[in-house]
Amino acid sequence: MRLSQDRIPHQETWWTNTGVIIWTCVVYSCCGFWLPASSHAQAITRGGAGGAAKLGRPLGLDSFGSRAIGKPAEGIPLITDLTVVDLDGDGLKDILVCDGGLNKVSWIRQVRLGEFEEQDIGESVAGPAHVEVADFNGDGHLEVLVASMGVIPPSNLKTGAVVVMVNDGSNHFTNRVLLKDVARVTYVAAADLNRDGLLDLVVGQFGYVEGEIRWMENQDKWQFKSHRLLDLAGTIHAPVADLDGDGNLDIAALVSQESEEVHAFFGNGAGRFRDRVIYGSTNRDFGSSGLCIADVNKDGKPDIVYTNGDGFDYATPGSRPWHGVQWLENAGGGKFVFHRIGDFPGCYSPVVVDIDGDGDQDIVASSGFNDWKDKNAVSLMCFENDGTNHFTPRPLAHAPTHLIVVKAADLFNDGRIELITGAFMVYPPYDRVSRVTLWEPKK
């Protein structure tokens, strides 16, 4: 099913670094931190961009073997996010996990190739929703950034926070709160937005009835000044990239709730941002669920891939027939062209990756809200790229279920891509339970 490609007119708003509107106009249009090529963890590529097409390995239900990693589930798993990173710098990739049920962030460390051990890091964080890493003090050790909702269920209470877990250099982490008592925070990322050499923060506050997007200007020594970018509830993700090719960092934000829009905040490199809605669904029940930035067609410009599959708000959680994946192709100059990639009930967590090794970019997504009473309901899907940017859905798994997040990485440094999933099990049935699962390609 293809929905409205855009709502027009588009309102553009310039904000100063004091958060004050200096001008607005109406424009009619037809249309974590991303880096080019393979340097972004969500845009992993193998093979060349040109020449004859390579034959990729077949994709299907028998493509991957799976095994649980980390600690076993305590009760019903509520994993909200995870990311892949070599946290201790030993050359082996690890996994950081947000556990919304236990109010913890944990480190699934790869202690030896293919062997994993899990440990909690820092102090407890209420309702951790998103995790990223950055070296804030330039000492070569990674800090852990956490978006804290405070409470996971819908709430308009000011329970949100931004927490950084400061690394002492020996991989012991101490919590420092950078923002608190705000609408529930669902996203945080670090980037130098004003070119002063310090890492600033982009913060998405989902809230409930009230929410916002802000950037927090780093004034050194863990002091930040907030600047509001958007006064709307429902932000899910807000990664950073140079979207329009002007050399300045921009922000792409997915805003759900009553909006169901993708916003681009085009930066001038000095702390001012121009807001443009680059896509908006006319379906107020669209269910926006995830967004990533990657060069899908390998033309050197960052595209936007996002999913709609949220089923949390219904009396009986579940999927809707319009759920699926879409690609906003970067046409240059800040313009984007909408493509519906395909349908996928309960779709979440898009990842752009050459999963079959044929040299082009495929799209992997998970399902958090499918009809799990149906044993044939798909929990993990790949939309295989035929080399001309036409995509075919390839189911990868029916179980485990309730997979809210998937990430991709060459975990074992052998040139093959593994997948890692986390389960958020908020409604029955609970007959195919998992917590964190590693998916390894079969030989």
Side-chain angles (χ1 to χ4, degrees):
M1 179 178 180
R2 179 168 172 150
L3 302 176
S4 168
Q5 291 190 13
D6 250 317
R7 292 201 302 270
I8 56 177
H10 289 164
Q11 178 172 293
E12 296 193 357
T13 305
W14 274 98
W15 298 83
T16 68
N17 57 9
T18 61
V20 179
I21 301 176
I22 59 173
W23 64 266
T24 63
C25 69
V26 174
V27 179
Y28 289 82
S29 172
C30 60
C31 59
F33 187 59
W34 181 87
L35 295 172
S38 62
S39 54
H40 189 278
Q42 289 301 98
I44 306 164
T45 307
R46 294 176 296 173
K54 291 173 60 181
L55 181 63
R57 67 185 188 88
L59 294 173
L61 294 170
D62 294 326
S63 298
F64 289 84
S66 64
R67 60 182 169 111
I69 57 173
K71 297 177 181 178
E74 298 181 30
I76 300 300
L78 292 177
I79 301 302
T80 53
D81 193 33
L82 53 83
T83 194
V84 179
V85 61
D86 181 3
L87 187 61
D88 54 0
D90 66 352
L92 299 175
K93 297 182 182 71
D94 314 307
I95 299 126
L96 288 173
V97 180
C98 287
D99 193 319
L102 301 179
N103 293 320
K104 293 179 179 179
V105 176
S106 61
W107 173 19
I108 301 181
R109 184 185 174 207
Q110 190 171 186
V111 293
R112 287 171 291 279
L113 201 64
E115 297 182 25
F116 297 88
E117 296 177 359
E118 184 171 3
Q119 65 186 69
D120 298 337
I121 61 171
E123 302 156 40
S124 64
V125 176
H130 182 76
V131 61
E132 300 221 356
V133 296
D135 179 5
F136 267 93
N137 50 18
D139 64 356
H141 303 291
L142 293 174
E143 274 71 52
V144 178
L145 272 172
V146 186
S148 168
M149 297 179 75
V151 294
I152 298 295
S155 172
N156 210 45
L157 297 175
K158 306 298 185 184
T159 59
V162 172
V163 178
V164 60
M165 295 181 170
V166 181
N167 191 338
D168 69 356
S170 59
N171 298 309
H172 292 93
F173 296 85
T174 302
N175 290 21
R176 178 185 286 269
V177 178
L178 303 180
L179 178 70
K180 65 179 180 178
D181 300 328
V182 297
R184 296 183 306 159
V185 178
T186 45
Y187 187 84
V188 62
D192 184 2
L193 298 174
N194 56 358
R195 295 183 168 185
D196 64 354
L198 300 174
L199 287 177
D200 309 301
L201 299 177
V202 178
V203 179
Q205 296 169 228
F206 189 100
Y208 186 50
V209 177
E210 299 173 353
E212 68 178 86
I213 299 173
R214 71 177 75 196
W215 76 278
M216 296 174 59
E217 181 181 359
N218 192 339
Q219 299 185 311
D220 206 3
K221 297 182 180 179
W222 301 113
Q223 300 299 307
F224 291 82
K225 181 179 180 180
S226 287
H227 309 288
R228 180 178 292 179
L229 294 176
L230 187 69
D231 187 15
L232 286 175
T235 299
I236 298 172
H237 294 136
V240 175
D242 180 6
L243 296 173
D244 56 2
D246 67 353
N248 300 316
L249 291 179
D250 312 307
I251 302 165
L254 180 59
V255 183
S256 60
Q257 290 294 79
E258 298 300 318
S259 302
E260 303 292 357
E261 296 172 336
V262 178
H263 288 247
F265 298 93
F266 295 102
N268 71 349
R272 291 171 53 198
F273 292 88
R274 174 171 48 92
D275 177 16
R276 180 189 296 169
V277 177
I278 59 174
Y279 174 83
S281 172
T282 56
N283 180 354
R284 294 302 184 186
D285 201 23
F286 196 53
S288 297
S289 57
L291 179 148
C292 73
I293 297 175
D295 186 1
V296 175
N297 55 1
K298 302 175 80 169
D299 65 352
K301 296 189 291 291
D303 305 308
I304 295 170
V305 176
Y306 83 99
T307 54
N308 64 302
D310 181 40
F312 194 64
D313 289 338
Y314 305 124
T316 301
S319 66
R320 292 298 183 266
W322 51 81
H323 287 171
V325 184
Q326 27 280 315
W327 165 32
L328 299 182
E329 180 185 0
N330 193 333
K335 303 294 180 66
F336 292 81
V337 178
F338 176 95
H339 304 274
R340 176 73 169 190
I341 295 296
D343 300 340
F344 185 17
C347 190
Y348 264 74
S349 192
V351 178
V352 178
V353 56
D354 179 12
I355 196 71
D356 56 1
D358 63 357
D360 51 49
Q361 300 279 58
D362 310 302
I363 299 172
V364 174
S366 61
S367 178
F369 292 91
N370 214 327
D371 179 7
W372 303 123
K373 294 178 182 178
D374 180 359
K375 300 298 184 182
N376 293 316
V378 176
S379 59
L380 194 59
M381 180 86 81
C382 176
F383 292 87
E384 183 181 7
N385 192 337
D386 69 357
T388 64
N389 299 310
H390 293 89
F391 296 84
T392 301
R394 307 289 188 196
L396 300 180
H398 297 303
T401 59
H402 303 77
L403 301 181
I404 206 78
V405 58
V406 58
K407 296 295 171 71
D410 178 3
L411 276 180
F412 306 135
N413 303 321
D414 60 359
R416 302 196 308 163
I417 299 299
E418 285 74 39
L419 303 174
I420 307 96
T421 57
F424 185 78
M425 310 193 76
V426 290
Y427 67 105
Y430 304 115
D431 57 346
R432 288 163 283 171
V433 174
S434 71
R435 184 172 174 270
V436 179
T437 304
L438 171 62
W439 303 79
E440 300 173 80
K442 294 181 179 179
K443 300 290 186 182

